[in-house]
Amino acid sequence: MATNSLIDFNTLSPKFRDLYAKAKDFVENDCIPSEPIFKAQMGQGDQRWKVIPPVLEELKSKARSLGLWNLFLGRDYKEGAGLTNVEYGLIAELTGRSSLAPEAMNCSAPDTGNMEVFAKYGTEAQKQKWLVPLLNGKIRSAFAMTEPKVASSDATNIETNIRREGNQYVINGRKWWISGAGDPRCAVYLVMGKSDAGNADRHRQQSLVIVPADTPGINVLRPMHVFGFDDAPEGHCEIVFKDVRVPVENIILGEGRGFEVIQGRLGPGRIHHCMRCIGKAERALELMIARVTDPTRRTFGKILAEHGTIVADIAQSRIEIDQARFLVLNAADKIDKVKAKDAKKEISMAKIAVPNMLLRVVDRAMQAHGAAGISQDTPLASFFVRARTLRYADGPDEVHRAQLGKTELRRAADITATMKAQQEKADKRAAKL
C-alpha cells in the first residue's frame, strides 16, 4: 500500500492514528482474505437474496470489538466517532480496498447517508426507532429517490406523489436503482416525493418520508443489473409504491423540505465515495504491479514490466491517484472548515475527477492482466463497474461540471475589473515613456 505523503499524520488526533492503524490491519488481514469466503457462502440462485454470509457477521463483530464502528459520523454528532472529514476520509480510503470492509465497519452506503439524515434531521422518536438499530447494525435501509420516467439528475423532476389524508401520508409512485432494497435486512426506506407539486418554488415541492419496508402496498419488482452484476443480496431495485400509508409523524423535518434534506445528506457522502475509489485504485495498481513483475509471464522474451508501455501506464496511474487524493482531501478539509454547503466547488471537482480516475487506472490494470482482468478471478471487473456507476450516483458528472463552471463564471466581474485596472496602469506608464 502506498504511503500517503499529503498528510502529516502527526498533526491528526491520537484517536485517529490508533483507529487508522487498526483499520489498515483489519482491511488487509481480515477483510481482503475473507472475500473468497464471502462469495462461497453466498450460494447460488435465489438463495443469494436470502442468506447473509456468516463471515460478514464475524467481520462485523471483530470490527466493533476494535472500535472500528460508525466512524463516518463526525464531530457534529453525539452518536459519532468524533473524527474530522479528513480523518474519516483517510480511513474510507482503506475500506475502499475491500468490498467487505465498509459494511463490516457499519460504514456502507446507503446506510451512512440515511443514518446521517436521522442524526441531523430526525426527531427523538425517529432516532430511537430507526437510527439506533441502524447504528447497531441490526437493520439496513434504502434511499428511494431515482425514478424511471423522469431525468432524476434534476431532483425537482421527481413525480412520486405524497398526499396527506388526515393523520396519514399516502404514497404513489415508481422508483428504481434503489440500492439496498433487496437485502433481507432492509427495514426502512426514505422516500422522496412531491407533496406540493403546485408550489411556485420548485425546491419546496418535495418531502421526504420514512416508510417501513413491510408497509402494505410496496412491491419490489426486480433488481437492476449493472454490467451483469446484480449485487445480491443488496441489489439496486425497481419498486412500486401503491397507496402506501404512513403516519404523518414519519415526515423528515417537515413538508416541503425534502430537497433541503437530500442536499444535506449528499455532501460528505460524495467525499466518502471518492476516498473509497482511491482505495480501489491503489489496490488495482498493486494488482497490476504484481502481475507485470511475475517472472512466469513473458511476452516476446521479456517480463511484462520490461515493456515501455507497461512502465508508462504504471507511472501515469501513480500520478492520477495522487492527484485525485489531493482533490478529495482538499474537499474534506474545506468541509471541516466551512461545512459542505460552502465547499460545493471542491466537492464537485472531486466527484467528477475521482471516478473517472478509477476507471482509467482499473482499465490499465485489466489490460495488464489480459483476459483474467475481466474475469471473476480478480476484483478488477467489479471495481470498474462501481467506478462507472459512480459517474451517475450522487449527481452525474454533467451536473457537477455545470455547477463548477457556473461557480467559476461568478468570478467574471472581479476578473474583468482587475484586468481593467491593470490595463489602466499599463496605459499610464506607457504615456510617461
Side-chain angles (χ1 to χ4, degrees):
M1 187 187 305
T3 300
N4 191 323
S5 60
L6 295 172
I7 296 289
D8 180 357
F9 277 36
N10 291 324
T11 66
L12 302 178
S13 68
K15 179 177 183 178
F16 159 76
R17 296 199 297 271
D18 176 62
L19 290 172
Y20 185 89
K22 290 178 179 177
K24 183 176 181 180
D25 180 72
F26 178 66
V27 171
E28 297 302 309
N29 296 313
D30 290 289
C31 294
I32 291 177
S34 295
E35 289 171 357
I37 301 171
F38 179 89
K39 289 181 180 179
Q41 292 178 348
M42 278 287 293
Q44 302 293 322
D46 289 344
Q47 189 72 5
R48 295 163 58 252
W49 297 95
K50 300 173 183 177
V51 174
I52 304 303
V55 69
L56 182 58
E57 293 304 316
E58 293 168 11
L59 289 171
K60 289 168 69 174
S61 178
K62 182 167 185 178
R64 194 160 192 176
S65 71
L66 292 170
L68 300 173
W69 196 255
N70 295 329
L71 302 182
F72 70 95
L73 272 179
R75 296 176 298 179
D76 295 337
Y77 302 102
K78 63 182 180 181
E79 301 91 352
L83 300 178
T84 66
N85 281 285
V86 167
E87 290 172 336
Y88 176 66
L90 293 166
I91 291 176
E93 177 180 341
L94 298 176
T95 67
R97 294 173 59 83
S98 170
S99 59
L100 301 181
E103 185 178 348
M105 295 165 62
N106 214 39
C107 291
S108 58
D111 292 334
T112 49
N114 293 339
M115 284 189 269
E116 190 155 5
V117 166
F118 284 121
K120 188 172 184 178
Y121 302 110
T123 65
E124 285 305 313
Q126 290 168 349
K127 290 179 181 180
Q128 285 300 313
K129 188 168 185 178
W130 302 114
L131 178 59
V132 170
L134 281 167
L135 288 171
N136 288 330
K138 300 298 184 183
I139 64 172
R140 298 212 63 189
S141 62
F143 184 71
M145 184 180 78
T146 306
E147 298 181 1
K149 292 186 178 181
V150 300
S152 300
S153 55
D154 178 356
T156 63
N157 288 332
I158 298 303
E159 292 182 340
T160 291
N161 180 260
I162 299 174
R163 183 181 75 255
R164 181 165 181 168
E165 285 188 3
N167 63 354
Q168 292 183 322
Y169 288 112
V170 183
I171 304 161
N172 284 280
R174 183 183 291 259
K175 302 285 187 180
W176 72 343
W177 297 107
I178 309 308
S179 299
D183 195 307
R185 300 162 298 173
C186 183
V188 61
Y189 304 124
L190 292 180
V191 180
M192 178 85 159
K194 284 188 176 175
S195 55
D196 185 10
N199 195 308
D201 183 348
R202 297 180 69 228
H203 296 90
R204 297 286 294 180
Q205 297 175 354
Q206 306 82 11
S207 293
L208 194 68
V209 292
I210 303 165
V211 181
D214 60 358
T215 306
I218 299 174
N219 184 12
V220 179
L221 298 180
R222 58 174 178 160
M224 307 300 298
H225 289 201
V226 188
F227 288 93
F229 289 85
D230 61 14
D231 287 334
E234 292 185 12
H236 312 284
C237 298
E238 184 172 5
I239 307 173
V240 171
F241 295 85
K242 183 174 177 57
D243 295 327
V244 175
R245 294 176 176 270
V246 297
V248 293
E249 55 264 28
N250 281 26
I251 195 83
I252 294 285
L253 200 59
E255 289 187 15
R257 302 186 71 177
F259 203 90
E260 175 186 347
V261 174
I262 66 168
Q263 288 304 306
R265 177 186 188 273
L266 291 174
R270 290 175 174 133
I271 300 305
H272 304 166
H273 277 310
C274 288
M275 288 304 288
R276 286 192 291 266
C277 281
I278 292 168
K280 288 178 174 58
E282 287 285 8
R283 189 173 172 195
L285 180 56
E286 290 167 13
L287 288 167
M288 181 180 181
I289 291 170
R291 179 78 170 193
V292 302
T293 55
D294 183 344
T296 68
R297 296 191 172 276
R298 293 178 172 270
T299 58
F300 308 105
K302 300 178 180 179
I303 64 170
L304 297 178
E306 293 175 330
H307 292 284
T309 55
I310 293 289
V311 175
D313 282 350
I314 290 171
Q316 190 61 34
S317 295
R318 178 76 273 147
I319 292 167
E320 292 178 3
I321 292 170
D322 283 0
Q323 286 174 331
R325 183 184 286 111
F326 174 81
L327 279 175
V328 183
L329 291 176
N330 183 54
D333 183 60
K334 188 73 177 286
I335 294 172
D336 284 332
K337 291 174 178 175
V338 297
K339 305 299 182 186
K341 185 177 181 180
D342 293 316
K344 288 181 180 179
K345 181 178 76 171
E346 290 77 12
I347 292 170
S348 289
M349 286 192 290
K351 180 59 173 63
I352 295 164
V354 176
N356 283 283
M357 172 278 296
L358 178 56
L359 282 169
R360 293 190 298 271
V361 171
V362 172
D363 185 72
R364 295 178 193 124
M366 292 166 77
Q367 198 72 7
H369 278 75
I374 57 174
S375 77
Q376 68 270 43
D377 291 344
T378 78
L380 294 172
S382 66
F383 285 1
F384 189 89
V385 168
R386 289 179 183 276
R388 188 61 186 86
T389 303
L390 275 176
R391 291 190 59 206
Y392 304 116
D394 288 356
D397 289 0
E398 293 78 5
V399 170
H400 288 287
R401 195 174 288 116
Q403 178 177 288
L404 178 59
K406 290 174 182 177
T407 299
E408 285 297 288
L409 285 169
R410 292 190 193 108
R411 302 194 299 125
D414 289 340
I415 290 171
T416 301
T418 298
M419 293 173 66
K420 182 179 179 181
Q422 290 169 341
Q423 186 61 50
E424 289 173 351
K425 289 179 180 179
D427 292 342
K428 288 179 181 179
R429 289 174 182 172
K432 293 178 181 180
L433 295 179

